[in-house]
Amino acid sequence: MWYNRLSEYLIGLGYLNNELCPCVFIKKSTSGYAIIAVYVDDMNLIGTSKELLETAEILKKEFEMKDLGKTRYCLGLQIEHRKDGILIHQENYTQKVLRRFSHHDAKPSSTPMIVRSLDIKKDPFRPKEDDEEILSPECSYLGAIGALLYLAQCTRPDISFAVNCLARHSNAPTRRHWNGIKDIFRYLKGTTDMGLFYPYASSSEDTAIGTSKNATLVGYADAGYLSDPHKGRSQSGYVFTIGNTVISWRSRKQTLVATSTNHSELLALYEATRECVWLRAVIGHIGSTCDLAHDPDEPIVIYEDNAAVIDQAKHGYIKGDTTKHISPKLFFTHEQQTLQKIEVQHIGSEKNHADLFTKSLPKYSFQKHVKAIGLRKLSELP
């Protein structure tokens, strides 16, 4: 009811709304534009100065609301406005979580997850065994998973894979799984002020959407074959960046049993393509509505490290003995590339940042990918 009330009022005043992003309202004027992003009864206004003032006055006339000025704190997210860019982090929230689970004095670690054993009998993330006891309610395993999921989905993509692995055991957690939770807490202890850093455009030419390398949407897709050997499932991971900083990511166990590395990579690329189509449409909608320069015909590059998958996405899937069982829905990637909406390109595995979302990595590789997707510590910024 609240959304209907707000939507009718704003649309009546000339704000445009699109089903792609129904909680975003945009109005263009001769001198600039205003964007209203709504989350329940919290609003963020983005745009040019004059239009922002007018929008605030319009909302105050109709609704009982407070103008809190430049956004610095919203939904647990802290926004640091700096000379060279914006850092979005959750330091206060992270510290509250650590205190809640008595890890505020824990010894920091360099990664959120230990490297897993190839022996499924020694894998610390294996399901509960018959001779193991389920954790008592005092450990609040579900509470810890819920708190970590919010971090992983908002500003901490670096813990996504570890949290995804541990969330699978919420119905029967053991002491081994709780030790995995504590590993994440120790990593967070040393990175409480880490967040996503979005640098400002280096020149006026870089301010237009899609007209410079710094403002281009780029994707990475990868799969971890048999990441869950106990259930015969692989892991899909993708990440999309603008200006070398992540804006969308996902780490997810595949619902199908992949019969080969090629099969699992096809599934991961399919999921990345779906996200890319939506991101492309949203960016195009904002760019065209706000009259910002952008190229609607330029394909979005998605990097993949499997040469066979890249060839299949380009030329189509030949239905042979090794591929005839693969679902036809995976032709979607080939279709989008044929329509020049996306372009799948090869990249070396060591440079594929989606690796961060498909497997546990050694310290050097982990920290390299974390830095490459725009995660920075507030204390380390100049």
Side-chain angles (χ1 to χ4, degrees), residues 59-170:
L59 290 170
K60 289 178 183 178
K61 288 180 181 178
E62 185 68 17
F63 304 106
E64 202 174 302
M65 60 177 290
K66 295 180 181 179
D67 185 351
L68 301 179
K70 182 178 289 188
T71 305
R72 300 189 182 276
Y73 196 88
C74 181
L75 302 172
L77 277 66
Q78 295 170 251
I79 302 174
E80 304 283 344
H81 299 269
R82 307 178 64 83
K83 293 181 179 180
D84 53 346
I86 295 175
L87 179 74
I88 303 178
H89 64 97
Q90 292 174 276
E91 181 178 9
N92 291 343
Y93 176 81
T94 304
Q95 290 176 346
K96 288 180 182 178
V97 171
L98 293 176
R99 284 195 296 269
R100 175 185 171 188
F101 294 97
S102 303
H103 275 72
H104 53 286
D105 293 326
K107 183 179 179 180
S109 63
S110 55
T111 62
M113 187 178 186
I114 62 173
V115 178
R116 300 174 66 183
S117 172
L118 296 177
D119 186 349
I120 60 175
K121 294 182 180 180
K122 297 180 180 179
D123 180 14
F125 295 93
R126 64 187 182 276
K128 175 187 172 298
E129 297 179 342
D130 295 337
D131 59 345
E132 290 184 296
E133 294 183 0
I134 297 178
L135 285 177
S136 62
E138 287 77 10
C139 286
S140 188
Y141 189 87
L142 284 174
I145 288 294
L148 292 173
L149 278 173
Y150 188 64
L151 272 173
Q153 292 173 358
C154 291
T155 61
R156 298 302 299 268
D158 49 334
I159 66 172
S160 293
F161 177 68
V163 176
N164 181 269
C165 287
L166 291 166
R168 302 169 190 171
H169 308 290
S170 297

Side-chain angles (χ1 to χ4, degrees), residues 5 13 94 105 115-117 132 192 214 255 269 279 316 351:
R5 172 77 176 84
L13 292 174
T94 304
D105 293 326
V115 178
R116 300 174 66 183
S117 172
E132 290 184 296
T192 54
N214 289 338
T255 57
L269 185 58
L279 288 173
K351 296 181 180 180

Side-chain angles (χ1 to χ4, degrees), residues 248-262:
S248 177
W249 63 89
R250 192 173 194 183
S251 179
R252 179 191 183 192
K253 184 170 75 170
Q254 295 177 356
T255 57
L256 302 177
V257 176
T259 57
S260 65
T261 302
N262 177 263

